Amino acid sequence: STRNGKSIRFRKGFTAAEPQAIWFCTSLGVSRLAGGKLSHWGENEGLDSETCNDLAFGPDGTVWVATAAGVAYFDGKLWRRMGSDLPAGAVASKSKPSSSWASGMMGRTAGAHWPVTRDGEGLPASALVISGETLWAGTARGLWPISTVTGPPPVGGVVNRARGLVGDEVVDLVPDRFGRLWVLGDFGPALPPPPPLPRTGP
């Protein structure tokens, strides 16, 4: 079902045999309409949470979702948690991501820990955007640069009130034509502070 929809995105086919698709992020899971066929994923199909708040596509078409349990991505067969080679909802996996870009992202995020709530559950993610080569997630605790594909990891970690953001609650994200990332929160729209410059001396 696409009822209670929260986000909708168009994804082109990345091979001659792959159809164009419409992806829906809903409170009942993630749906895809492609080639006249509707597919749906919820907790029974591997998502940690069916409450999907936003989705974004990597440069190779990898689908990333922001859910009530954190961030996950679809490798073409399985949903995988951010920072892990484990499928979302699974204990162990011997399979590898089918996407080279997702594989690179997984390698860059491996060992990274998504923040958790006091109950030990993954912190909900409200928004996702890929700006340049960095995947950003918005949460109630600020703006999280999850990973980069090439180059050094994101500098400085989470951007929140303590790091110069107007407030912690991030509701939505969008890059402008100049490559700047705009943040919408309970404080209104704002530009995050620039990351600190790398240290060059002792």
Side-chain angles (χ1 to χ4, degrees), residues 49-139:
S49 171
E50 291 184 351
T51 303
C52 180
N53 297 315
D54 200 7
L55 56 88
F57 302 134
D60 67 347
T62 301
V63 182
W64 293 78
V65 292
T67 77
V71 175
Y73 69 89
F74 189 62
D75 73 355
K77 296 179 180 179
L78 302 169
W79 288 100
R80 298 178 180 272
R81 295 188 188 104
M82 189 284 291
S84 173
D85 63 351
L86 300 181
V91 175
S93 172
K94 295 181 180 178
S95 61
K96 299 297 181 184
S98 59
S99 157
S100 60
W101 192 82
S103 228
M105 289 293 269
M106 187 184 76
R108 302 295 292 178
T109 62
H113 299 286
W114 182 253
V116 296
T117 65
R118 291 180 179 178
D119 298 328
E121 302 293 331
L123 181 70
S126 56
L128 279 177
V129 70
I130 294 172
S131 179
E133 293 184 336
T134 302
L135 174 66
W136 299 86
T139 75

